[in-house]
Amino acid sequence: MKIQNGRWVNNQGEALTTPEEHNKFQDTLVRVKSFSKDKGLTYKKIQVLFNILSTNNTMDNALTSVLSMDNKQLKRLF
């Protein structure tokens, strides 16, 4: 999801119409609000948070694994 012309749209640039899209939007919005702790966020910061926090369990687990690695482990990945 992204903000386009001042409104939220799906990855194809179309309005959110399905119940699944609305549920995903609401779930991610709750995560963004919780993460931001009522700080004033710019459009760009909200977009970045939405991209980070709109992941599935598989992506969450992968991010957690990478974030727990030290520099030596990270360098071996590349």
Side-chain angles (χ1 to χ4, degrees):
M1 282 180 242
K2 57 187 174 183
I3 301 172
Q4 187 175 14
N5 296 327
R7 64 186 180 101
W8 284 99
V9 295
N10 61 21
N11 292 334
Q12 291 76 34
E14 300 166 348
L16 306 179
T17 55
T18 66
E20 293 82 17
E21 289 175 328
H22 286 287
N23 289 340
K24 184 176 179 181
F25 174 78
Q26 290 295 330
D27 291 343
T28 306
L29 183 62
V30 167
R31 292 175 84 182
V32 168
K33 283 183 178 180
S34 173
F35 185 81
S36 67
K37 296 181 174 70
D38 297 325
K39 294 177 184 171
L41 298 177
T42 64
Y43 156 81
K44 291 289 187 187
K45 289 179 183 176
I46 292 170
Q47 186 67 49
V48 168
L49 285 172
F50 248 82
N51 288 338
I52 292 170
L53 298 174
S54 64
T55 60
N56 57 28
N57 287 337
T58 303
M59 184 61 73
D60 287 346
N61 292 337
L63 288 170
T64 301
S65 295
V66 169
L67 291 172
S68 67
M69 293 179 176
D70 61 24
N71 285 341
K72 188 176 180 180
Q73 292 171 314
L74 288 172
K75 286 179 183 178
R76 283 189 282 178
L77 290 176
F78 301 103

